[in-house]
């Protein structure tokens, strides 16, 4: 039987994968994917915890909102990446380092 | 002055002041208006001294053998001591006033002709200053003023001796005269300081007048006890030695006499003035002013020194060949007579001799001036290389220069002291009194009168030598160079008139109506107490006879030697001849011992200065250098080092933290993760 723990473990695993992707990849789009993974791990938790609120399903509602917002923010992030590419001819975040001192 | 002077006395004081100030006015006029035009300045100075002489005669007529006049004004006050400036006209000062002006007048007239060849100069300016200094010296009443004018006499004589300053020898001579006189000035200054600390006054009358402070002082138990205070008796001796030094320097006594023969480098007219009335008379005058200072033993010392100087100078004069040098040594010799006369208590005789000597010595110098002038003329006309003052080139000049010859013979007779001249009166007075003085003494006391007698004979010899070499025989220059041209004469009235005037003054009528008895001279009546005037002892008759016979004999001997060409008695190589010719080696001794010592001392001091004083300074510099190097090192490496260390630490910390800000977004994220993980781990552990 699939218990709550399995969800949480899966979620934690997703989060960790996302975190690794963010930290290790040298492509802004892949980092964006990492962010989505971490976001989805959080959303998975929300959905899993909504089991305790069967009346209003507030967890699932919150998840829906989060998915929408994530889509929006991803759109913005892609636009930024496009601009970055135009300006720097690269999307490797390691090379976009003009903010350093 | 506490009590106002009677009107007539006040007038006399004004006359005396006018006599003193007129030459000074001439000096100022010549200095600022006439400039270097010697013709104008000559007549200005001569006019001034003429009027001055007239005033001096009037003052003399009023004061001589009448009462002394003293007028003074408060000059300044130091602490509690008021210092007065004023004039003191007594017999001594009016006599000197008259003497100086009357001698200076013919010298001025003579100079107007004598100096004319050297156009554009300050001769008369200096001459007026010289006369003013001397005139002021004789009338002032305070030691401070006396000292000031004493110095001024020395200074103006320095200017005149070095008048031909382009000649090296003249420069050397005036330096020598000045330095020698400085030694005397130190003595006088010392004496003035001691007198002031003993009596608290500079006033000559209070000090040396009748019943003055000095007379009232006694020496008892090694203390010098005055009415005001008392000090150790040594100071009295020191003061007397100081005064003696001053007198010796100005009046050219042994051991400070060597400047006078060298002072011949000045113009002859200046020599006449220096030797007669101004410079050398100042010493004897000072002695006359401070006479009560000296006690019996000190007077004896004066007599010995005077006698020795007279003898020594006479022996030197025997062999000199320079006309003026012979006269210079005869002056020293005669000054020795005066000092000795002071020493044997023949106060009046000393001053009498000063006066008569002034006339005949001035006369002799002016004569020698004429001779030298004519020799110079011959030298220039024939373009010869001779010394115009050397008597060995002269001879037979009596036919060429008749007036000069007669004047010179009168002067020489007076110098020897033959009857009918003034020199006879004054010199015999001194000789007779010296014998009477020696009577009360031990046998040694007779050395002085005998020495002075001997000196008289020597005087007769060198004077005769001078006359015979210059005026008699053949003109030796003509013998050496037969084609020499001679166009010489006595010169104009400026030459002959002073000579005639001074010749008349060198004869007896001016001083005594009786030409054979010195006791009748009017001058003695002015100075009381004049001792030894009574003709009680045999000396009064026998001495003049002996001395005159001896003089005539010696003069004849000189005639035999020089004119008849008999054999010389002294070979010219003997020790005595060399001693005399080299002036007793005194100059050489001074040069070797004193001048050398001074130079060596100077060198030692120079070495000390170079090595010790400068060395210390250099050491200090080095030490300071080292110290500053050390400080610089400390500053650089310790003070600055600390600061640099702090800065380096701050920079290292900053760099460490800056390294996190690498501009890599993922790196930031990783840092955040690490921090959060660390926090969690810490939390777990705690």
């Amino acid at each position: 039987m699939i218990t709550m723990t399995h969800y949480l473990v899966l979620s934690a695993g997703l989060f960790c994968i996302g975190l690794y992707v963010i930290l290790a990849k040298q492509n802004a789009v892949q980092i964006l994917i990492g962010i989505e993974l971490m976001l989805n791990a959080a959303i998975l938790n929300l959905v899993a915890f909504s089991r305790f609120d069967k009346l209003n399903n507030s967890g699932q509602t919150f998840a829906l909102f989060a998915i929408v917002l994530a889509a929006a923010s991803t759109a913005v992030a892609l636009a930024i990446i496009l601009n970055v590419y135009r300006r720097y001819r690269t999307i490797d975040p390691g090379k976009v380092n003009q903010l350093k001192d | 002055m506490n009590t106002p002077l009677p009107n007539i006395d006040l007038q006399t004081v004004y006359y005396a002041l006018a006599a003193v100030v007129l030459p000074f006015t001439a000096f100022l006029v010549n200095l600022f208006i006439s400039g270097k035009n010697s013709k104008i300045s000559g007549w200005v100075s001569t006019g001034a001294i003429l009027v001055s002489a007239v005033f001096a005669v009037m003052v003399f007529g009023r004061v001589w053998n009448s009462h002394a006049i003293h007028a003074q004004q408060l000059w300044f006050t130091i602490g509690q001591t008021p210092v007065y400036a004023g004039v003191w006209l007594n017999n001594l000062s009016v006599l000197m006033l008259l003497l100086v002006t009357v001698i200076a007048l013919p010298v001025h007239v003579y100079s107007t002709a004598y100096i004319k060849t050297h156009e554009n100069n300050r001769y008369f300016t200096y001459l007026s200053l010289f006369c003013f200094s001397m005139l002021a010296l004789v009338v002032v009443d305070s030691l401070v003023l006396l000292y000031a004018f004493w110095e001024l006499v020395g200074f103006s004589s320095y200017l005149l001796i070095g008048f031909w300053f382009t000649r090296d020898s003249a420069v050397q001579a005036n330096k020598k005269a000045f330095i020698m006189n400085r030694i005397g000035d130190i003595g006088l200054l010392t004496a003035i300081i001691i007198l002031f600390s003993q009596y608290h006054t500079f006033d000559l009358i209070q000090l040396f007048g009748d019943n003055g402070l000095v007379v009232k002082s006694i020496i008892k138990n090694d203390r010098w006890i005055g009415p005001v205070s008392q000090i150790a008796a040594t100071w009295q001796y020191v003061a007397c030695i100081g005064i003696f030094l001053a007198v010796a320097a100005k009046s050219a006594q042994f051991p400070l006499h060597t400047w006078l023969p060298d002072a011949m480098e000045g113009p002859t007219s200046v020599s006449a003035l220096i030797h007669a009335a101004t410079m050398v008379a100042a010493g004897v005058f000072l002695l006359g002013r401070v006479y009560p200072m000296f006690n019996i033993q000190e007077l004896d010392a004066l007599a010995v020194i005077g006698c020795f100087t007279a003898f020594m100078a006479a022996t030197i004069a025997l062999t000199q060949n320079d006309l003026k040098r012979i006269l210079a040594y005869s002056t020293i010799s005669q000054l020795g007579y005066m000092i000795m006369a002071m020493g044997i208590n023949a106060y009046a005789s000393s001053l009498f001799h000063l006066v008569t000597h002034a006339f005949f010595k001035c006369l002799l110098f002016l004569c020698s001036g004429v001779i030298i002038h004519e020799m110079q003329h011959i030298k220039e006309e024939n373009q010869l290389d001779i010394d115009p003052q050397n008597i060995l080139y002269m001879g037979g000049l009596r036919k060429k220069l008749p007036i000069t010859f007669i004047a010179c013979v009168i002067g020489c007779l007076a110098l020897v002291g033959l009857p009918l001249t003034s020199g006879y009166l004054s010199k015999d007075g001194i000789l007779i009194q010296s014998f009477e003085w020696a009577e009360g003494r031990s046998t040694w006391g007779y050395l002085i009168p005998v020495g002075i007698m001997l000196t008289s004979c020597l005087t007769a010899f060198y004077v005769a030598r001078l006359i015979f070499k210059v005026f008699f025989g053949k003109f030796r220059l003509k013998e050496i160079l037969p084609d020499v041209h001679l166009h010489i004469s006595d010169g104009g009235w400026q030459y002959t008139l002073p000579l005639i005037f001074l010749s008349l003054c060198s004869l007896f009528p001016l001083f005594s109506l009786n030409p054979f008895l010195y006791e009748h001279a009017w001058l003695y009546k002015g100075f009381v107490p004049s001792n030894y005037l009574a003709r009680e002892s045999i000396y009064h008759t026998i001495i003049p006879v002996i001395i005159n016979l001896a003089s005539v004999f010696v003069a004849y001997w000189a005639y035999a030697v020089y004119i008849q060409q008999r054999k010389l008695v002294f070979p010219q190589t003997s020790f005595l001849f060399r001693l005399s010719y080299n002036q007793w080696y005194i100059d050489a001794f001074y040069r070797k011992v004193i001048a050398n010592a001074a130079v060596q001392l100077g060198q030692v001091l120079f070495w000390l200065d170079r090595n010790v004083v400068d060395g210390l300074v250099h050491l200090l510099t080095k030490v300071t250098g080292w110290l500053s190097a050390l400080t610089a090192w400390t500053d650089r490496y310790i003070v600055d080092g600390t600061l640099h260390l702090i800065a380096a630490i701050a920079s290292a910390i900053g760099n460490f933290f800056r390294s996190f800000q690498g501009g890599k977004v993922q790196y930031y994220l990783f840092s955040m993760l690490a921090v959060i993980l660390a926090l969690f781990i810490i939390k777990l552990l705690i």
Side-chain angles (χ1 to χ4, degrees):
Chain A
M1 131 140 227
I2 299 169
T3 60
M4 181 68 112
T5 312
H6 291 97
Y7 290 107
L8 291 182
V9 169
L10 178 65
S11 170
L14 270 176
F15 188 84
C16 288
I17 292 164
L19 192 59
Y20 169 75
V21 168
I22 286 173
L23 291 179
K25 292 297 166 187
Q26 299 192 337
N27 192 322
V29 178
Q30 285 176 326
I31 289 168
L32 206 55
I33 292 169
I35 292 170
E36 285 302 311
L37 283 174
M38 287 168 73
L39 202 62
N40 283 318
I43 291 168
L44 187 60
N45 277 1
L46 284 174
V47 174
F49 287 129
S50 75
R51 188 181 142 191
F52 300 104
D53 184 20
K54 287 195 172 138
L55 232 63
N56 294 327
N57 284 324
S58 57
Q60 296 188 354
T61 316
F62 203 25
L64 275 176
F65 275 99
I67 289 166
V68 173
L69 279 175
S73 68
T74 305
V76 172
L78 278 172
I80 290 172
I81 289 167
L82 203 60
N83 270 323
V84 165
Y85 179 73
R86 278 201 193 140
R87 191 175 174 90
Y88 297 100
R89 313 305 298 175
T90 178
I91 48 171
D92 183 353
K95 289 181 181 163
V96 184
N97 57 357
Q98 277 196 341
L99 273 177
K100 73 171 183 182
D101 65 323
Chain B
M1 196 71 190
N2 298 330
T3 51
L5 284 170
N7 219 11
I8 182 102
D9 283 357
L10 205 60
Q11 214 177 0
T12 314
V13 169
Y14 285 138
Y15 285 170
L17 283 179
V20 172
V21 169
L22 270 166
F24 187 63
T25 320
F27 162 70
L28 290 180
V29 168
N30 284 342
L31 191 62
F32 293 113
I33 300 170
S34 329
K36 289 190 170 180
N37 187 329
S38 63
K39 195 157 195 174
I40 296 172
S41 61
W43 289 116
V44 168
S45 291
T46 311
I49 204 75
L50 177 66
V51 180
S52 189
V54 171
F55 277 121
V57 170
M58 288 199 281
V59 172
F60 184 79
R62 288 185 183 198
V63 176
W64 180 257
N65 277 347
S66 169
H67 59 293
I69 298 172
H70 182 212
Q72 60 180 189
Q73 279 249 312
L74 185 64
W75 188 14
F76 58 82
T77 308
I78 311 174
Q80 301 295 315
T81 313
V83 177
Y84 292 92
V87 292
W88 181 21
L89 302 171
N90 63 358
N91 282 349
L92 175 61
S93 50
V94 292
L95 179 66
M96 290 298 292
L97 196 69
L98 184 68
L99 179 69
V100 173
T101 49
V102 168
I103 293 287
L105 181 59
V107 173
H108 273 75
V109 173
Y110 183 92
S111 298
T112 53
Y114 191 73
I115 298 295
K116 208 194 295 174
T117 47
H118 313 277
E119 287 294 340
N120 290 340
N121 53 57
R122 293 206 178 280
Y123 174 82
F124 284 101
T125 316
Y126 299 155
L127 201 63
S128 284
L129 181 65
F130 195 23
C131 291
F132 160 69
S133 321
M134 188 64 199
L135 288 171
L137 176 73
V138 300
V139 297
V140 294
D141 74 332
S142 121
L143 281 172
V144 181
L145 282 171
L146 183 88
Y147 184 70
F149 289 113
W150 182 267
E151 292 276 19
L152 210 53
V153 169
F155 173 66
S156 40
S157 72
Y158 165 81
L159 290 176
L160 283 170
I161 293 168
F163 177 67
W164 283 315
F165 56 85
T166 46
R167 286 190 202 163
D168 188 48
S169 55
V171 175
Q172 297 291 342
N174 73 350
K175 222 185 323 177
K176 186 171 179 182
F178 197 66
I179 292 170
M180 285 286 190
N181 274 295
R182 296 306 303 171
I183 298 172
D185 295 344
I186 292 166
L188 183 58
L189 188 60
T190 316
I192 289 174
I193 292 167
I194 292 172
L195 282 171
F196 181 73
S197 51
Q198 168 76 318
Y199 298 115
H200 306 295
T201 177
F202 290 115
D203 196 300
L204 281 169
I205 300 163
Q206 286 179 32
L207 287 170
F208 303 110
D210 301 333
N211 284 323
L213 294 165
V214 171
V215 179
K216 285 184 199 155
S217 316
I218 46 165
I219 293 180
K220 201 172 168 186
N221 297 336
D222 267 354
R223 302 290 293 169
W224 185 25
I225 303 165
V228 190
S229 64
Q230 51 165 305
I231 46 178
T234 327
W235 293 113
Q236 204 267 344
Y237 307 133
V238 174
C240 279
I241 290 169
I243 285 175
F244 170 71
L245 269 183
V247 170
K250 274 276 187 300
S251 288
Q253 294 301 293
F254 178 83
L256 296 177
H257 66 277
T258 56
W259 66 270
L260 194 61
D262 286 20
M264 294 301 103
E265 287 300 331
T268 310
S269 45
V270 172
S271 304
L273 201 55
I274 287 180
H275 284 253
T278 46
M279 185 88 170
V280 297
V284 180
F285 168 77
L286 176 73
L287 208 52
R289 272 285 204 225
V290 305
Y291 197 62
M293 271 290 285
F294 293 87
N295 60 30
I296 299 287
Q297 289 83 22
E298 286 154 355
L299 287 178
D300 286 355
L302 276 186
V304 171
I305 288 170
C307 180
F308 175 70
T309 308
F311 178 73
M312 178 195 71
T315 57
I316 293 172
L318 289 176
T319 55
Q320 299 302 310
N321 289 328
D322 187 317
L323 180 57
K324 284 171 80 179
R325 207 166 260 275
I326 297 173
L327 292 177
Y329 276 108
S330 89
T331 304
I332 296 176
S333 181
Q334 301 303 310
L335 287 165
Y337 273 88
M338 295 172 210
I339 302 292
M340 191 213 69
M342 284 284 180
I344 60 171
N345 234 336
Y347 183 81
S349 278
S350 175
L351 294 170
F352 186 25
H353 196 55
L354 176 69
V355 173
T356 56
H357 172 256
F359 284 108
F360 61 71
K361 189 49 65 72
C362 186
L363 172 63
L364 282 174
F365 265 106
L366 294 188
C367 288
S368 77
V370 173
I371 295 164
I372 291 165
H373 192 72
E374 299 307 327
M375 290 301 285
Q376 182 78 22
H377 187 67
I378 293 174
K379 177 185 165 183
E380 277 163 13
E381 196 182 23
N382 297 293
Q383 290 169 346
L384 304 173
D385 184 23
I386 56 165
D387 177 8
Q389 304 189 5
N390 195 332
I391 58 170
L392 297 182
Y393 293 121
M394 303 172 190
L397 288 176
R398 71 179 186 280
K399 285 167 196 146
K400 302 276 183 193
L401 311 169
I403 297 174
T404 313
F405 168 63
I406 293 166
C408 196
V409 165
I410 291 174
C412 285
L413 292 181
L415 179 58
V416 178
L418 290 179
L420 301 181
T421 62
S422 61
Y424 168 83
L425 297 168
S426 58
K427 204 177 208 174
D428 282 1
I430 294 176
L431 287 173
I432 292 165
Q433 286 170 67
S434 70
F435 272 99
E436 294 192 345
W437 172 82
E439 255 191 347
R441 311 252 156 181
S442 61
T443 330
W444 291 104
Y446 275 98
L447 271 181
I448 284 182
V450 169
I452 219 78
M453 286 279 276
L454 201 58
T455 308
S456 273
C457 298
L458 293 176
T459 309
F461 187 85
Y462 70 69
V463 163
R465 172 172 177 264
L466 177 75
I467 290 283
F468 293 141
K469 287 244 184 200
V470 173
F471 290 107
F472 287 87
K474 286 177 186 143
F475 191 53
R476 270 177 289 277
L477 195 61
K478 189 112 186 166
E479 285 179 353
I480 305 167
L481 304 159
D483 53 348
V484 109
H485 298 284
L486 299 176
H487 299 108
I488 58 175
S489 69
D490 278 323
W493 64 270
Q494 290 110 319
Y495 287 139
T496 49
L497 203 62
L499 292 187
I500 293 167
F501 170 71
L502 288 169
S503 304
L504 292 178
C505 291
S506 299
L507 294 173
F508 72 92
L510 186 65
F511 298 100
S512 166
L513 288 178
N514 186 333
F516 298 107
L517 301 177
Y518 81 93
E519 298 88 344
H520 290 207
W522 53 264
L523 222 135
Y524 282 100
K525 297 182 177 64
F527 297 106
V528 279
S530 26
N531 307 326
Y532 312 120
L533 280 189
R535 297 181 59 87
E536 55 200 9
S537 79
I538 183 129
Y539 294 124
H540 285 258
T541 317
I542 200 166
I543 298 294
V545 173
I546 291 176
I547 197 69
N548 281 304
L549 284 178
S551 297
V552 170
F553 171 72
V554 167
Y556 174 73
W557 184 30
Y559 179 76
V561 168
Y562 290 111
I563 302 301
Q564 301 179 341
Q565 303 288 327
R566 302 257 176 87
K567 190 177 175 295
L568 276 177
V569 178
F570 291 114
Q572 299 213 344
T573 50
S574 74
F575 169 72
L576 285 174
F577 179 83
R578 275 181 288 127
L579 183 70
S580 161
Y581 188 74
N582 292 307
Q583 303 157 29
W584 285 45
Y585 296 102
I586 291 172
D587 258 339
F589 173 78
Y590 284 166
R591 192 169 301 123
K592 266 222 177 88
V593 178
I594 295 172
N596 258 359
V599 167
Q600 273 165 9
L601 182 69
Q603 278 166 349
V604 169
L605 288 178
F606 178 72
W607 182 87
L608 277 179
D609 189 48
R610 177 52 61 84
N611 291 301
V612 176
V613 179
D614 285 12
L616 274 176
V617 175
H618 288 153
L619 188 68
L620 212 64
T621 320
K622 271 186 187 160
V623 169
T624 316
W626 293 333
L627 272 179
S628 28
L630 187 69
T631 317
W633 186 88
T634 317
D635 194 45
R636 175 154 310 157
Y637 291 100
I638 297 187
V639 179
D640 286 11
T642 316
L643 289 177
H644 285 154
L645 186 66
I646 293 169
I649 290 169
S651 153
I653 293 170
N655 278 339
F656 175 70
F657 285 107
R658 203 181 58 164
S659 62
F660 298 116
Q661 314 288 320
K664 292 186 179 173
V665 183
Q666 287 165 308
Y667 202 67
Y668 300 160
L669 288 172
F670 181 73
S671 309
M672 278 165 61
L673 181 67
V675 170
I676 288 166
L677 278 178
L679 284 175
F680 271 100
I681 289 164
I682 289 166
K683 202 170 177 196
L684 276 177
L685 289 175
I686 298 165

